[in-house]
Every structure is written in C-alpha cells, then in structure tokens.
Amino acid sequence: MRVWVPIPGLVPALPGAGVVSGRRVANDRLGDLLAEAGWSGAELARAVNALGTLHGLALRYDRTAVAHWLSGTRPRRPVPELMAAALTERCGRLVTVAEAGLGAGSAGPGVRPGADPAPAGAGGDGLLRLALQARADGDPHRRPPLLRSPYQPVPVPEAAWDSDPDRDPDRDPDRDPDRDPDRDRDRDRDPDRDRASGGPGTRTGIPELAARRHLAAHAQQLRDLAVSFSGLYLTHGGVHTRAALAAWLAQDAGAFAARHPDGSGAGARGRGMPDPGCGAADVWRGYAQLAHLLGEMTVDSGHHGLAQEYHGIALALARKAGDRRMYAITLRAMSAHAGRLGQPAHAVRLARTAVETAPADGEPGTLAFLLVQRAAAHAQAGQRAAATADLATADRLHGRHAVKPPEGPFDSYARADLDFARARTHLALGEFPAAAEALERSLRGRPPGQHRATALTHAALAETLLRLGHLTRACEHWRAFLTAAPAVQSRGVREALGRLLRDLTPYRRSREAVPTVAMARALAERLPWARLP
C-alpha cells in the first residue's frame, strides 16, 4: 500500500504536550536530538522519507516540515515512529517517540493497538498475549491499526540465560506455601503397585497419566501445524497463509491459556495432577515456533509493526520453554527484519545477541544459520572484515552439519538457504560476481515446490546480473521469476515485480527485454496484490 502524506497532514500538538495556554512551544527535545545526531532538518526529512519507502509509504517531507516539528507541531502516525527509528540508528542508542517530544508513542513490546490488554498473570507471559493479538488480527474492525503500526527499535534482550527462567512454584516447595505434601508422597509411589493394591495410585496415577498424554498430544499437534504452515509459507508466501494461522492461534492459544490460568500448562493444581514440567516445555516450544512463523509471514506481508510484536511473543514463549535454540533463531529473524527496514546497527546488535545466546555446544547447522545473518548485518553496517570472517566460519560449520530428513521447519538448515544469505552479504559489500555465484548455487539446491524462495532467488539473481551488464541472462531469470510468481502472495514478490518494471525501463525497446516487460505487465494487471510502480 502506497500512501501520500503531504505537509498539510501535520496536526497541532495536543494541550499539555507542546502547547501552553493555547500557544505552541518549541520542541526542544527534538532539537537536542538533531544536535546529538549531527543532522540538519533536511537530513532528518530525507531519513524519514527513506524509512517510509521501506514501509510502503510515499513521504515527501523536507526541511520546512522539520521546522514545523521543531516549533511544536506533531505529524500524524506513523511519522513520529519513523523519526524515532531514524534517530535511533543515527545516534546508536534507543530513541523513543516520547524522548523526541512527539507524544507517548507505543509502550514498546506488548499487545499492539487494536488488541485487548492481557490480564496480568493470566495464561503465562506470552500465550495469552499471542491469543489476544491473533484475535485482534482477525477482527475486521481492529485489524487496520495493527496492519498500519510501524516498526520501532526496542532494547535488545540480554544474552544472559537462566537455567530455569520461569520455574513454577509447584516445582519448588520453598516458593509455594500452599503446596500439598501428600502430592509429593503420591509422586514417589509406584503407580502400578498402587493400582494393583487398590492404593492411592487408583486415585492419582490415572489422572496424571491422562494429563501427561494430553500435553504430549497437544505438543505433537503444534509440531504438525508448524510443518504444515511452514510448507504453505515456503510455497505460497505469507499474505493469505498468515490469516489462517492467526485465526487458529486466536482459538487454540486462547483456549489453552483459559484451561491453564496459572500458565503451568498442566491444568489446575491439586492432588492427582502431573508435574507441570512434564511435557509443558514442548507445548511452549510449539507455540513459540508458531508465533515465530506468524511473525515471518507478517513480515512477508509488509505489516512490520505487527510482525515485530509476534516476534517478541515468540521470544517470550521460547524463554518459557527454556529453548535457547529457538530463542536465538527468533533473534536472528528480528535482525534480518531490522536490516530490511534500514536499521543496520540494530540488526548487528540483534544478530550478535542471537549468536551469544545459542547453546555453545549447539548443532553446527544452527550456528551457521545465526552466523550468516550476523555476516549480512555486519555487511549492511559497513563492517567488511567482520562480515567476511562470519561468512567463512558459517561455511565451515555448515560443512559439519549432518543433513537429515527434518522432523520440523526448525530442525535443519538447507545449503540453498545458506547460499541465499551469503549472497545478501556479498551484495551489501558490493561483491556482485560472488553474489551471483551464490545465488546460482542456491537455485540449484532449491526443491521444486518452494515457489516463494525460488521466485525471490531468481529475482535477486536477475537484478545482480543486470548490475554486471548481462542483460540477456538477467531477462532469462526475470522470466523464471514471472513463471513462479503467480503461485505466491508475498509483499517481497510484489516489490520484486515493481523493481523488474523499473530496472528494465531503459531497455524496454531492446530485443531481449521486450517479451520480459510484456510478460511482467500482463502479470501485474492480473494479480490484485500487484501494482505498477
């Protein structure tokens, strides 16, 4: 969606926030931040316009708009958030909307506008948040502000990891004064012996076994759903697939949180109930994976503030599961998202924390997956030596990666994905021949059904070849992209189609480009999600 936000869109500051007795006062906070950044008004305006473009907004601010803001006028959302993001990247520290004198802004991580607030302590930190956010995402009346919410840099989580960050009181007698000592005695009994003798096992063993089986079955259901939705995303993109996943989570996560209000994942407390740690971690891990997938699909749909919220929920659930690997993989996705939105310094911080958080003795493929993103972030930030070192280490680690049939979408990291990420790093470093070689290797390793990844790889290779002056080969890959694109609903694919039409404009009368441009225009006219630039 492209939105024109003209200068007359400026609105006066609200009483009590930049206005005294009806008189507008200067925004000294914004002036101080400009001085800290070493920016003129025109430079801030250009940075805001550039971030707006990455968010699909056509902004045309200039120094006169910044002069209005400095005098106490506030722009409409999402411009304050874009200003805070631009200043965060420039100053090298977190700058909030409130610090810029532009209002309270969002509260940071938490349920985005449009969702109901989660009751404190209900359903665990993350699960009820996920259910409420997904429910608002599916509500036609509350969805629009969610989809328009902008990306905002937030503090990077610490790499420190407690061995048991969310230890349940049921597992620590000193923290639960209401603990039933009879339950401990029942747990130490042999259920088979008690059932045979008609003892307490008849009362406690069967309900406990049933609860354990329920948790195990639910965890397996979540794993199966992760496989299914990941496959749909890789094949058809995130635009429509994410709506189905959000609708499912709104129902299932909400019901699970309601059944387990203490967040234990094991049902109500009392005699005959299982240890909440048994099987519960697998349930939290399953929800963390689905929240992560929903975040990735939402990025692919171009709804960046909402995607950021789903990623934050995935982090909370991974931490509750005690799953350092899933936590690090989500931080890695957040780093890639930040880099895509023009926040290279923030992307580097997230990627570094992902590598530091991952288990030191973790699987080599996972470490390669994290390091290749850190390489891309370093390259985007202009840190060539660090990027090159990370690429070499990632390549060496992936060579030790035992490729096996994956049980789920987070169990293996394909060489085709590594090569695509390598290409992003080479492109950021201006190494176009190396990028083209990596993209060609990625294509050779792609399974035939991954239409989204195949389309985006062909598009990236075509753009790279055109930079190298190989028009004929570029058009061949553009046509391969156009063949795969109709099966995919993705903001990334739509943007690639726009770049095709833009980049081939100078060659539109050449013999090689004429059929490609015609094919692209025909596709753009027939797809409702595609618009000509």
Side-chain angles (χ1 to χ4, degrees), residues 161 285 288-293 295-296 311-312 314-315 318-319 323-337 350-359 362-371 373-374 408-413:
W161 186 276
R285 181 180 299 109
Q289 291 181 353
L290 290 175
H292 175 104
L293 283 173
E296 292 296 273
H311 280 149
L315 280 183
R319 190 165 183 84
D323 191 337
R324 297 173 67 116
R325 182 173 178 270
M326 192 66 221
Y327 192 90
I329 288 172
T330 301
L331 283 173
R332 189 254 191 211
M334 295 169 70
S335 172
H337 190 200
L350 286 163
R352 287 175 177 170
T353 306
V355 174
E356 293 165 7
T357 302
E363 199 274 326
T366 300
L367 295 176
F369 181 56
L370 301 176
L371 282 168
Q373 169 54 31
R374 194 172 72 176
F410 301 95
D411 295 336
S412 182
Y413 186 44

Side-chain angles (χ1 to χ4, degrees), residues 4 61 102 110 143 152 193 231 269 308 328 355 385 388 430:
W4 175 263
Y61 289 116
L102 297 168
R143 185 190 301 122
Q152 300 175 68
R193 183 191 66 199
R269 299 179 185 179
Q308 183 181 22
V355 174
T388 302

Side-chain angles (χ1 to χ4, degrees), residues 107-130:
V111 178
R112 288 273 166 178
D116 298 321
D125 180 25
L127 187 55
L128 194 60
R129 265 177 70 197
L130 175 60

Side-chain angles (χ1 to χ4, degrees), residues 29-30 33-34 36-37 39 44 47 51 82-96 100 102 343:
R29 293 182 179 181
L30 181 57
L33 284 169
L34 279 177
E36 179 184 344
W39 265 352
L44 174 61
L51 286 179
L82 296 179
M83 265 197 283
L87 289 165
T88 292
E89 185 66 25
R90 176 69 175 183
C91 296
R93 63 176 182 83
L94 180 65
V95 175
T96 65
L102 297 168
Q343 301 284 317

